[in-house]
Amino acid sequence: MRQPPNTVRQLLGDDETVRRWFGAGMLDNVVAVLGLADIDEPWVHVLAAR
């Protein structure tokens, strides 16, 4: 598996933290693109961390 750049690892810490940070960023993008922030449903609140 390819390693993340040293700068990212230095800022975020271990590999698991790097994966979680990028994963959360991707989830934020999906929430934004699908316009989920405008939906008032419990599952959306969990995804949008509201």
Side-chain angles (χ1 to χ4, degrees), residues 5 7 14 23 33-34:
T7 303
D14 61 25
V33 167
L34 295 178

Side-chain angles (χ1 to χ4, degrees), residues 4-25:
N6 287 334
T7 303
V8 173
R9 186 177 286 131
Q10 288 171 354
L11 292 171
L12 298 175
D14 61 25
D15 289 347
E16 182 60 28
T17 304
V18 171
R19 277 190 289 277
R20 278 186 278 139
W21 187 81
F22 277 101

Side-chain angles (χ1 to χ4, degrees), residues 18-31:
V18 171
R19 277 190 289 277
R20 278 186 278 139
W21 187 81
F22 277 101
M26 290 300 298
L27 180 57
D28 290 342
N29 285 325
V30 170
V31 168

Side-chain angles (χ1 to χ4, degrees), residues 30-43:
V30 170
V31 168
V33 167
L34 295 178
L36 297 180
D38 299 329
I39 299 173
D40 189 21
E41 293 287 337
W43 64 272

